[in-house]
Amino acid sequence: DQQVKQNSPSLSVQEGRISILNCDYTNSMFDYFLWYKKYPAEGPTFLISISSIKDKNEDGRFTVFLNKSAKHLSLHIVPSQPGDSAVYFCAASDDNYGQNFVFGPGTRLSVLP
Amino acid sequence: NAGVMQNPRHLVRRRGQEARLRCSPMKGHSHVYWYRQLPEEGLKFMVYLQKENIIDESGMPKERFSAEFPKEGPSILRIQQVVRGDSAAYFCASSREPGQRNTEAFFGQGTRLTVV
């Protein structure tokens, strides 16, 4: 039973346009969400996070939106750059779940020059 | 301040051999997590350890897999009698001191295990 879902395995976007990566979750106890970026042959690197008390968090070109009622979050990258091409993982945690994160399967973003 | 260090980066084992994967957390971190990434899949949680304690091993296969995080030295993920299906990338992550809500885990570069 997948608690964190990323239904788009891949996404292609033109350089300079907006990339929107989506993530859905089923566990209503999740209250903290993170996005990680992963390049081939490297470990995931933290990108941006959001607590359930907020509905938006912005950091430069990256913005994460959280819709608690829909159990949905999205990562917006604007403008997209070729260096953003990577696999993006959505992750969630719950204070009662312990210190563990539950990861989605990832979305491969390709930004075309 | 060195990041999370994993070694080896690549490990090749024949079926039936043992694989030992090492992880040194970031300085000051006492939480260690192991994740496995199978081809074309996301990261799957395996085990969460603090120094000398296994806190959550709900993601560990019941047989052949074990993990430790001794008082001194790195965390070790051990896979005994490896099979082809164990071929995957194994990532270790660490996070900060107990008692604080974990808001971020720092990952190592992973060990890619290939069983031939």
Side-chain angles (χ1 to χ4, degrees), chain B residues 14-111:
Chain B
R14 294 186 185 281
R15 280 179 293 171
Q17 290 185 318
E18 178 179 285
R20 282 191 177 221
L21 290 67
R22 293 173 183 76
C23 169
S24 296
M26 284 182 70
K27 186 177 179 181
H29 285 189
S30 59
H31 299 251
V32 165
Y33 317 80
W34 285 94
Y35 289 83
R36 175 165 65 174
Q37 184 181 23
L38 294 168
E40 306 303 321
E41 293 189 18
L43 295 157
K44 301 290 186 189
F45 167 75
M46 299 182 75
V47 62
Y48 160 44
L49 310 103
Q50 291 180 15
K51 284 283 187 183
E52 299 184 279
N53 285 307
I54 296 174
I55 306 302
D56 179 357
E57 56 182 349
S58 58
M60 286 278 270
K62 294 286 184 276
E63 297 176 350
R64 301 187 297 107
F65 284 72
S66 62
E68 63 177 11
F69 189 15
K71 188 176 178 182
E72 302 290 338
S75 175
I76 307 284
L77 178 68
R78 182 202 288 186
I79 312 171
Q80 296 178 299
Q81 298 175 315
V82 295
V83 301
R84 288 243 171 91
D86 297 333
S87 296
Y90 292 83
F91 290 97
C92 168
S94 73
S95 67
R96 56 190 179 196
E97 294 298 325
Q100 299 179 35
R101 176 65 191 277
N102 190 21
T103 56
E104 182 182 342
F106 295 86
F107 281 83
Q109 291 188 299
T111 293

Side-chain angles (χ1 to χ4, degrees), chain A residues 31 34 36 41 43 93 99-100, chain B residues 9 33 35 101-103 105 108:
Chain A
D31 61 356
L34 309 91
Y36 279 84
S93 77
Q99 299 283 334
N100 177 23
Chain B
R9 289 292 309 276
Y33 317 80
Y35 289 83
R101 176 65 191 277
N102 190 21
T103 56

Side-chain angles (χ1 to χ4, degrees), chain A residues 23-104:
Chain A
C23 177
D24 297 284
Y25 60 97
T26 58
N27 187 344
S28 57
M29 298 301 293
F30 286 144
D31 61 356
Y32 198 82
F33 305 89
L34 309 91
W35 284 93
Y36 279 84
K37 178 166 77 170
K38 185 181 179 303
Y39 293 117
E42 293 186 15
T45 54
F46 171 76
L47 199 56
I48 193 169
S49 63
I50 188 167
S51 162
S52 61
I53 62 173
K54 292 185 166 184
D55 54 19
K56 177 183 173 181
N57 189 24
E58 196 171 347
D59 183 1
R61 296 185 298 113
F62 302 92
T63 303
V64 55
F65 295 92
L66 175 62
N67 182 335
K68 287 191 295 289
S69 60
K71 294 193 183 72
H72 176 83
L73 63 154
S74 60
L75 174 68
H76 293 212
I77 307 173
V78 55
S80 303
Q81 299 173 354
D84 296 330
S85 297
V87 177
Y88 289 78
F89 292 101
C90 171
S93 77
D94 142 34
D95 205 30
N96 296 316
Y97 204 85
Q99 299 283 334
N100 177 23
F101 297 113
V102 180
F103 281 83

